[in-house]
Amino acid sequence: QSVLTQPPSASGTPGQRVTISCSGSSSNIGSKTVYWHQHVPGTAPKLLIYSNNQRPSGVPDRFSGSKSGTSASLAISGLQSADEAVYYCATWDDSLNGVVFGGGTKLTVL
Amino acid sequence: EVQLLESGGGLVRPGESLRLSCGASGFIFEAYAMSWVRQAPGKGLEWVSSISSDGFSTIFADSVKGRFTISRSTNTIYLQMNRLRGEDTAVYYCAKEEGSESSHSIHYWGQGTLVTVSS
């Protein structure tokens, strides 16, 4: 049972916009920044979004992040087949004194 | 270019020990905190441990506290895993953080090394 709650799956057709949610509490998302990582099985995970809504260089602006209260969201617009991956939110938890990840959302491009 | 290369994974029996290494290059190693994150088969990512840039501050997930230690030397971090259990079976990823203190600011990941604990 992950501290951060994500839907286990999401899907969309090429060109569509999809949103993945991440729900936490006041001890984590409510007081800390949120990171999003993309993981294609068998490869190294990759940072997509840091500090709630910042994109590292090289990440397309099709990817965007937001945070409100104790929840955060990752939006992917102009969906592409290459976006098929598992997406994880992550932050710090003051109660656990450690990093916490969401359970991951597997994105399928139909 | 930041590069992180894990090594040391393998098959061990329950109760045995194993030491993982992560060689780092492409950045000023002494300036950044580093972490280990694992992924058990069919499961999601789980943070394991972090170490500050100067090596003096270390933190651990409750699931490994008292069994695992983390350390660092020149351009390398280590994860010493003792009293291994079946539930420690996972791919272990090395990760670089964006600051000098341990936090959730992972910006780069390695390819991972597989640890299998089985009799």
Side-chain angles (χ1 to χ4, degrees):
Chain A
Q1 202 78 346
S2 301
V3 172
L4 305 180
T5 301
Q6 296 181 236
S9 63
S11 64
T13 57
Q16 270 191 332
R17 181 178 188 272
V18 297
T19 301
I20 297 171
S21 62
C22 176
S23 177
S25 67
S26 58
S27 65
N28 45 67
I29 292 178
S31 56
K32 305 295 179 186
T33 59
V34 177
Y35 282 53
W36 289 91
H37 301 273
Q38 178 191 56
H39 190 203
V40 176
T43 69
K46 173 188 173 183
L47 174 68
L48 274 185
I49 297 288
Y50 67 97
S51 298
N52 301 329
N53 55 20
Q54 302 299 301
R55 282 186 309 276
S57 60
V59 173
D61 59 5
R62 302 187 296 107
F63 295 90
S64 62
S66 64
K67 181 186 120 170
S68 178
T70 59
S71 294
S73 293
L74 172 71
I76 309 172
S77 60
L79 204 58
Q80 300 177 2
S81 57
D83 298 332
E84 281 206 340
V86 181
Y87 293 84
Y88 294 91
C89 56
T91 188
W92 182 268
D93 191 290
D94 282 332
S95 298
L96 298 174
N97 194 38
V99 183
V100 289
F101 286 92
T105 299
K106 182 176 182 180
L107 175 64
T108 300
V109 181
L110 302 170
Chain B
E1 178 191 5
V2 171
Q3 292 194 341
L4 302 169
L5 186 61
E6 303 91 337
S7 61
L11 173 63
V12 295
R13 289 187 165 81
E16 293 186 340
S17 298
L18 198 64
R19 189 176 83 157
L20 305 183
S21 301
C22 171
S25 62
F27 62 100
I28 303 174
F29 180 73
E30 302 77 23
Y32 295 95
M34 300 290 291
S35 294
W36 288 97
V37 177
R38 69 185 180 184
Q39 183 178 33
K43 303 293 185 181
L45 299 175
E46 178 193 16
W47 170 75
V48 174
S49 179
S50 297
I51 185 167
S52 59
S53 60
D54 60 10
F56 288 117
S57 176
T58 60
I59 48 175
F60 299 90
D62 286 344
S63 58
V64 306
K65 202 171 292 183
R67 299 187 299 121
F68 289 14
T69 59
I70 187 172
S71 60
R72 60 192 296 160
S73 66
T74 306
N75 293 330
T76 303
I77 66 165
Y78 305 95
L79 186 68
Q80 177 67 43
M81 304 184 294
N82 299 326
R83 302 198 303 278
L84 282 161
R85 307 166 179 167
E87 53 264 38
D88 295 318
T89 294
V91 174
Y92 285 73
Y93 296 99
C94 170
K96 171 190 174 292
E97 300 205 28
E98 197 51 21
S100 60
E101 295 299 322
S102 303
S103 72
H104 60 292
S105 63
I106 290 173
H107 275 236
Y108 293 94
W109 299 77
Q111 296 279 351
T113 186
L114 176 62
V115 173
T116 303
V117 183
S118 174
S119 54

